[in-house]
Amino acid sequence: MTTEASFDITKPLPQGTVLLAASAGTGKTWTISAVCAKAIATGMVHMEHLLLVTFNRSAARELHGR
């Protein structure tokens, strides 16, 4: 089952697998880093259990920096 919903960092994080698909320049990398930061801060996950995958080196550098 799939649903389309706008992401809001102030709401509870989704559970399970989430696909984030959007056009270039729409904030995907920001959203990924925000979700990870919130998950770590709320104790949902420990940093060493995260695996983040991007499709280019530029986004990987940005995630690393955040």
Side-chain angles (χ1 to χ4, degrees), residues 19 22 24 32 38 47 61 66:
L19 171 65
I32 291 168
K38 185 171 182 177
M47 189 179 301
R61 281 191 299 274
R66 288 177 187 244

Side-chain angles (χ1 to χ4, degrees), residues 1-58:
M1 180 175 131
T2 61
T3 60
E4 290 187 28
S6 295
F7 175 73
D8 184 345
I9 192 65
T10 63
K11 293 182 180 176
L13 293 175
Q15 299 292 312
T17 301
V18 176
L19 171 65
L20 176 63
S23 300
T26 57
K28 292 180 299 297
T29 304
W30 181 91
T31 300
I32 291 168
S33 60
V35 166
C36 292
K38 185 171 182 177
I40 292 166
T42 60
M44 281 180 71
V45 69
H46 293 280
M47 189 179 301
E48 60 271 10
H49 295 136
L50 288 175
L51 172 64
L52 305 179
V53 179
T54 66
F55 291 101
N56 62 50
R57 294 182 194 279
S58 176

